[in-house]
């Protein structure tokens, strides 16, 4: 089934640990995005990639890194997790442009303790 | 830069109407609307383009005022299924096509 998949679904992580959230899509979309969702703050863009091999910073990039080695995968890494990174993380993909629909993964609920 | 949405929340009875506004300090070429049900991922509703027509999705429609750099989402004769959080988003060529969203408007429709 075509779509976008995130893993894990949820995770409890000790502060200071490294964590990679995975995102894979099979729709051959060239653009991919990572958002965090916190109550009252909506969806805030962390990093994005318009094509394989390129990435860019969003609104809240500090403490996160991404890579885009191929079209399908866009992992998000927290090098040293802190409690303020407790959030629900969504990955999305679409064709690059002003008028293209984005598809979201089901989200990863991350708790940093 | 994130677009600004208002109101933050609205409570309706079935059959009532509501309007959600989305504005930006920058010139807009497109406005995207998504809805997120509790515990689920956001789902696409519609995109409005500068110079384009007003769009509709069931009894949910939207308009785009280019001069005011504002879009409005209209929930007409609301149904229980309209409950959720509505997000507006912007994607501009001048901003590397980043898809940025507002803080959302939570809509609760009661019987």
């Amino acid at each position: 089934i075509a779509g976008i998949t995130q893993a894990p679904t949820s995770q409890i992580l000790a502060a200071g640990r490294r964590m990679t959230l995975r995102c894979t899509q099979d729709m051959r979309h060239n653009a991919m995005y990572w958002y965090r969702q916190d109550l009252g703050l909506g969806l805030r863009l962390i990093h994005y990639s318009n094509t394989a091999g390129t990435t860019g910073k969003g609104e809240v990039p500090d403490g996160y890194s991404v890579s885009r080695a191929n079209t399908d995968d866009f992992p998000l890494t927290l090098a040293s997790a802190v409690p303020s990174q407790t959030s629900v993380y969504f990955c999305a993909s679409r064709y690059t442009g002003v008028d293209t629909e984005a598809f979201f993964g089901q989200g990863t609920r991350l708790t940093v303790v | 830069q994130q677009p600004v949405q208002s109101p933050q929340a609205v409570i309706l009875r079935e059959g009532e109407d509501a309007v959600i506004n989305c504005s930006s300090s920058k010139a807009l070429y497109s406005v995207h609307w998504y809805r997120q049900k509790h515990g689920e991922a956001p789902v696409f509703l519609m995109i409005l383009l500068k110079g384009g027509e007003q769009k509709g999705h069931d009894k949910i429609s939207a308009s785009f005022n280019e001069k005011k750099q504002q879009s409005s989402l209209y929930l007409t004769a609301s149904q229980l299924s309209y409950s959720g959080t509505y997000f507006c988003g912007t994607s501009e060529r001048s901003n590397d096509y980043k898809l940025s969203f507002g803080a959302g408007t939570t809509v609760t429709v009661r019987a």
Side-chain angles (χ1 to χ4, degrees):
Chain A
I1 299 176
I4 181 165
T5 304
Q6 291 183 233
T9 303
S10 65
Q11 182 77 42
I12 299 174
L13 185 68
R17 297 295 295 269
R18 180 184 179 90
M19 176 76 190
T20 296
L21 307 185
R22 300 184 298 278
C23 177
T24 300
Q25 53 100 3
D26 60 3
M27 297 174 282
R28 308 304 294 171
H29 288 160
N30 54 327
M32 296 187 74
Y33 307 85
W34 274 106
Y35 298 91
R36 60 176 291 173
Q37 184 172 25
D38 304 288
L39 193 64
L41 298 176
L43 294 163
R44 292 185 292 169
L45 182 63
I46 304 171
H47 285 288
Y48 69 100
S49 169
N50 282 337
T51 189
T54 68
T55 62
K57 294 182 179 180
E59 296 134 16
V60 288
D62 293 344
Y64 306 94
S65 63
V66 292
S67 61
R68 187 85 184 277
N70 56 60
T71 297
D72 298 345
D73 302 301
F74 191 42
L76 176 74
T77 297
L78 290 68
S80 180
V82 295
S84 62
Q85 292 178 310
T86 293
S87 186
V88 179
Y89 292 85
F90 284 100
C91 179
S93 71
R94 65 175 188 149
Y95 294 111
T96 301
V98 297
D99 60 349
T100 56
E101 170 187 355
F103 294 81
F104 284 80
Q106 285 305 302
T108 294
R109 181 173 295 276
L110 180 67
T111 303
V112 182
V113 297
Chain B
Q1 185 175 359
Q2 292 180 273
V4 177
Q5 286 185 238
S6 64
Q8 288 184 327
V10 59
I11 299 175
L12 303 167
R13 290 199 178 276
E14 272 188 297
E16 291 182 341
D17 302 338
V19 180
I20 300 170
N21 295 307
C22 174
S23 63
S24 174
S25 59
K26 296 184 177 181
L28 296 176
Y29 185 84
S30 69
V31 177
H32 302 227
W33 286 99
Y34 289 75
R35 179 172 64 198
Q36 182 182 32
K37 301 272 188 178
H38 183 69
E40 300 180 3
V43 173
F44 172 79
L45 289 176
M46 67 190 80
I47 293 173
L48 294 97
L49 300 178
K50 181 178 180 178
E53 299 178 353
Q54 183 166 329
K55 293 287 187 102
H57 181 273
D58 193 7
K59 288 187 177 179
I60 299 174
S61 61
S63 63
F64 186 8
N65 187 321
E66 299 156 19
K67 289 184 179 179
K68 291 185 177 180
Q69 296 166 191
Q70 176 178 308
S71 176
S72 297
L73 187 74
Y74 306 96
L75 307 181
T76 304
S78 58
Q79 307 168 16
L80 294 176
S81 62
Y82 287 2
S83 292
T85 301
Y86 291 78
F87 293 99
C88 72
T90 60
S91 176
E92 303 298 323
R93 180 180 178 181
S94 61
N95 204 20
D96 204 23
Y97 299 111
K98 283 186 282 191
L99 182 56
S100 296
F101 290 94
T105 297
T106 300
V107 173
T108 303
V109 181
R110 294 178 175 169

